[in-house]
Amino acid sequence: MRPRARAWRCGPPPAGVRDFHAALPGYTPTPLTELSPLADELGAGRVFVKDESSRLGLPAFKALGASWAVHRTLAERAASGAGPGPVVLVTATDGNHGRAVARTARLLGQHAHVFVPRGVHARAVAAIAAENAEVTEVPGPYDEAVRRAAEAAAAPDSVLVQDTAWPGYERIPGWIVEGYSTLCAEIDEQLAAAGAAEGPDLVSIPVGVGSLAQAVVTHYRSRPSGHAPALLSVEPRSAACVLESLTRGEPVTVTGGDTTMAGLNCGTPSSIAWPYLHGGLDAAVAVPDADSAHAAARLAALGVSSGPCGAAALAGLRAVLTGEGGEERRTALGLDGSSVVVLLSTEGRDANPHSVTHH
């Protein structure tokens, strides 16, 4: 728990991102679904789930970042006088980001080369290959796949489109984060339409390297005044790099294990995300796989398709608000029976074949 985060402020995201997405074929805002039974369970006023199970034709939110970053990258190459020939867009992925880059490349007549770490389901790998991408499977963790992708992108007419940053590689990951701002802008409009124009009192965010969380912090902490929600990050217990980094007060790398929350199985926070996570997150929690599976089943019963990563938002909030110390944590987050809560369900069940659960 971090009591000063709601007073932290940063600059706003750039204008124009939402207009870019709105002009893409197949763009429509994803649903913000109110689930009254969850409000009763969690002791909140209203609970909404941002359902990213179908975003620009893919079963996760990642296309927002990939499409904007590739657009900016290709525009810059053209402006610099680079040849008109196709480029190879290189990336590493736990699944959804790589597929989004591959889809964007295919739609724009470019090539894609995607590096996949161990532990990504064969069906997720096949979905990337089906976008006409070259796929290289890496017998190591996510951070190793990122290293391999960065090496491959040094080839001529290749560019790395990675959704994590490190010192010296920050511009393109920054564009990916900007792309995610569209999701937050939609939530503002959808809450206003639902009679909650004040905005949320808490947003629960699944976190891998922290790029989506950086976008959410930027959105809510760039307002000079007015209502500031509490922001909660949720990670798998086996890969809680942000929780560990916040605990220590500096970015650290953790050695991850296996988790069904494949898209969150990251060992190192993104370097550009870290200042935002450190400044703007009110709370961080890590949950076991069983909790995320249970949350996915609950969401499915309420009509929302959510994979293990997406359902982590509910699993994490449940962990924070219940059990020993739950009442104190609820008070510290400023939550009561009238609070408006938004859960970011970042992927549908189709995004992650692990998520077929049996009860």
Side-chain angles (χ1 to χ4, degrees), residues 12-19 68 72 178 181:
V17 181
R18 174 76 183 280
D19 291 341
W68 175 250
R72 291 293 310 264
E178 290 174 6
S181 65

Side-chain angles (χ1 to χ4, degrees), residues 70-273:
V70 170
H71 163 72
R72 291 293 310 264
T73 300
L74 296 178
E76 193 165 88
R77 281 179 68 85
S80 71
V87 296
V88 182
L89 304 172
V90 185
T91 195
T93 187
D94 281 322
N96 293 325
H97 169 71
R99 188 175 175 191
V101 170
R103 168 72 59 92
T104 302
R106 182 167 69 75
L107 292 175
L108 296 175
Q110 311 294 328
H111 302 303
H113 185 181
V114 181
F115 288 78
V116 179
R118 64 159 186 257
V120 175
H121 197 282
R123 292 222 308 270
V125 176
I128 296 168
E131 303 287 351
N132 297 346
E134 180 185 350
V135 178
T136 299
E137 297 192 55
V138 177
Y142 175 78
D143 288 1
E144 177 65 22
V146 171
R147 274 196 297 278
R148 291 276 305 276
E151 287 169 8
D157 291 322
S158 296
V159 61
L160 186 67
V161 184
Q162 196 57 53
D163 56 347
T164 187
W166 53 87
Y169 181 72
E170 291 171 331
R171 272 192 345 141
I172 289 174
W175 290 337
I176 289 173
V177 171
E178 290 174 6
Y180 299 153
S181 65
T182 291
L183 185 155
C184 300
E186 292 174 2
I187 290 173
D188 283 350
E189 293 168 8
Q190 291 167 320
L191 284 177
E198 281 279 281
D201 298 296
L202 179 138
V203 182
S204 182
I205 315 151
V207 169
V209 297
S211 296
L212 175 62
Q214 180 186 349
V216 175
V217 169
T218 300
H219 182 78
Y220 290 108
R221 300 289 185 247
S222 60
R223 299 171 172 182
S225 61
H227 182 66
L231 303 177
L232 167 69
S233 74
V234 186
E235 297 171 282
R237 274 201 186 153
S238 63
C241 63
V242 170
L243 179 61
E244 184 65 25
S245 297
L246 291 172
T247 302
R248 296 208 204 169
E250 61 181 9
V252 296
T253 296
V254 300
T255 306
D258 287 331
T259 171
T260 52
M261 292 172 265
L264 308 182
N265 195 3
C266 304
T268 310
S270 174
S271 65
I272 57 170

